[in-house]
Amino acid sequence: MIIKALPAVREFIQPGAAVLASGAFDPLHYGHILPLIVAVAPDDYVKRRHPLLQPLEGRMEMLDALRGVDFVVPQGSESLTKAIKEICPVYLIKGTDWKAHGLPKDEVEAIKEVGATISWVDVSPISSSELLHAAFWRFADEWVGRT
């Protein structure tokens, strides 16, 4: 979507909820259009955080439908190390929640090995897992007699 007047961007994007890239783009070349690859965590990882709502394939299909996402790949394991080494990204985007408790050592080593830069993105103060638990799962346990 092309927005012809800068102030109009606020109709679509909330402050603090976007990534801004700037350049002349004249001429446009491949370096300007680095693909966005999204690695999706496996079902087992999700199940340890909360009951699984959508299997991996469904989560991947929805992410693939998002504008701006070029490729969606299964992460393969809880660790992102294999994906980092295979993809060799220029940038790795992580939420600041990971910064607070630290990335796993093997992931940090892989990031250094491929020469990627970590870009930290502020996240909601409440995780989606916490929201699910607060709004649904604690009652679901009662409904099925698990409490």
Side-chain angles (χ1 to χ4, degrees), residues 20-140:
L20 174 64
S22 173
F25 306 105
D26 181 30
L28 183 66
H29 57 80
Y30 182 75
H32 289 127
I33 52 173
L34 292 173
L36 175 59
I37 304 170
V38 178
V40 184
D43 292 347
D44 290 342
Y45 173 77
V46 176
K47 288 177 185 176
R48 283 196 306 278
R49 299 177 61 84
H50 57 73
L52 184 66
L53 292 176
Q54 299 163 319
L56 176 65
E57 290 298 320
R59 291 181 283 134
M60 289 178 64
E61 286 178 21
M62 285 191 295
L63 287 162
D64 187 45
L66 295 175
R67 177 184 269 182
V69 174
D70 295 298
F71 302 98
V72 179
V73 297
Q75 191 166 305
S77 68
E78 184 172 332
S79 173
L80 191 57
T81 300
K82 184 176 180 181
I84 293 167
K85 289 181 177 183
E86 188 69 31
I87 296 167
C88 298
V90 176
Y91 298 101
L92 177 65
I93 310 299
K94 294 297 281 186
T96 51
D97 54 333
W98 280 99
K99 190 175 189 178
H101 64 266
L103 291 174
K105 184 179 178 182
D106 59 328
E107 292 180 16
V108 172
E109 290 172 1
I111 291 164
K112 288 178 184 174
E113 180 181 319
V114 303
T117 299
I118 301 175
S119 292
W120 299 103
V121 177
D122 286 332
V123 296
S124 169
I126 301 174
S127 74
S128 55
S129 296
E130 291 169 339
L131 287 172
L132 280 172
H133 186 265
F136 181 74
W137 297 123
R138 68 180 175 155
F139 300 112

